[in-house]
Amino acid sequence: MPGDATMPIASVTQIDWAFAGTSTTAPATDDKPEHTTWAHWVDSTTPDAESVKDEGDMIRLPSGDAVERGQMVNPNTGKVDKYEESWVDIKPLGEKLGWVIKAQGQGARGILVRIGGFAQGILRRGSEVGIKRWRHVGGEQGWDTIVAIGNCDVPAEIFGAKCSVMEEGDTFVDGDGLEWVCIEKFKGNW
């Protein structure tokens, strides 16, 4: 992948918190705001990602953006703290397609997501965590690494010819023998 050889890899201690998984949302009612719960499948703060309780009320703003308010265990202190986050919806750039690729085995869990011209992933192997973000730069140049923290090596062929024609069920093996499987593919209307 272009850019990987020259991209400086930052320290894993620079990760505040990274995770990947799924979310479910209960719609707003007359007396309650929209409520979203995130199920962590891989988490930078713990190898037991499923133990993390992560949920909050989503207050929609007139702009269409949202403010999430909730409480959860602060991974730095171990105590329950209130939090507030801002969410801004953006239009993806590039091709109107995306996919989700998941890996599990050999003591590792990883997820790599592509939406349009961006992709990012997290890989946890025991206590080691790596995160990467890529940007599609077009033409022969392909994909460029724009953030790399720790070791998040994925099969190079993901960013090759299969990148735009990937199908659910396609499998890839990285340099360490870890198998990655495409679990979702979608086309957007953005």
Side-chain angles (χ1 to χ4, degrees):
M1 288 171 284
D4 281 349
T6 59
M7 181 66 197
I9 296 180
S11 165
V12 175
T13 59
Q14 292 177 324
I15 300 171
D16 182 45
W17 188 13
F19 61 87
T22 58
S23 66
T24 55
T25 300
T29 62
D30 290 339
D31 59 338
K32 291 184 181 178
E34 178 181 312
H35 188 82
T36 301
T37 302
W38 286 264
H40 295 204
W41 189 77
V42 59
D43 189 301
S44 66
T45 65
T46 177
D48 183 21
E50 289 93 350
S51 68
V52 177
K53 185 175 181 188
D54 184 1
E55 59 184 295
D57 293 330
M58 304 295 282
I59 293 85
R60 294 288 164 186
L61 304 174
S63 65
D65 299 338
V67 173
E68 176 192 351
R69 293 188 181 120
Q71 60 182 20
M72 66 178 302
V73 174
N74 180 325
N76 295 322
T77 66
K79 297 179 181 177
V80 175
D81 287 339
K82 291 182 179 180
Y83 69 87
E84 184 173 287
E85 297 174 351
S86 296
W87 290 81
V88 177
D89 288 335
I90 60 170
K91 263 190 172 177
L93 303 173
E95 273 186 280
K96 296 179 180 180
L97 65 87
W99 37 250
V100 179
I101 300 170
K102 192 173 184 180
Q104 182 175 11
Q106 305 174 11
R109 281 188 173 198
I111 293 181
L112 175 62
V113 178
R114 175 193 178 181
I115 298 176
F118 287 95
Q120 70 182 33
I122 178 172
L123 176 63
R124 181 177 191 104
R125 290 182 186 267
S127 62
E128 295 180 22
V129 177
I131 300 169
K132 271 192 183 178
R133 179 175 290 163
W134 298 265
R135 175 187 65 217
H136 190 259
V137 292
E140 296 289 320
Q141 295 174 346
W143 292 82
D144 207 5
T145 302
I146 55 177
V147 174
I149 299 174
N151 181 9
C152 185
D153 288 332
V154 298
E157 64 187 301
I158 289 172
F159 292 103
K162 290 292 280 183
C163 192
S164 294
V165 296
M166 191 175 309
E167 297 294 335
E168 287 183 29
D170 285 353
T171 60
F172 309 90
V173 178
D174 69 18
D176 293 325
L178 182 62
E179 184 176 84
W180 294 76
V181 179
C182 180
I183 60 168
E184 183 178 352
K185 178 187 176 181
F186 50 92
K187 290 192 176 197
N189 294 319
W190 56 80

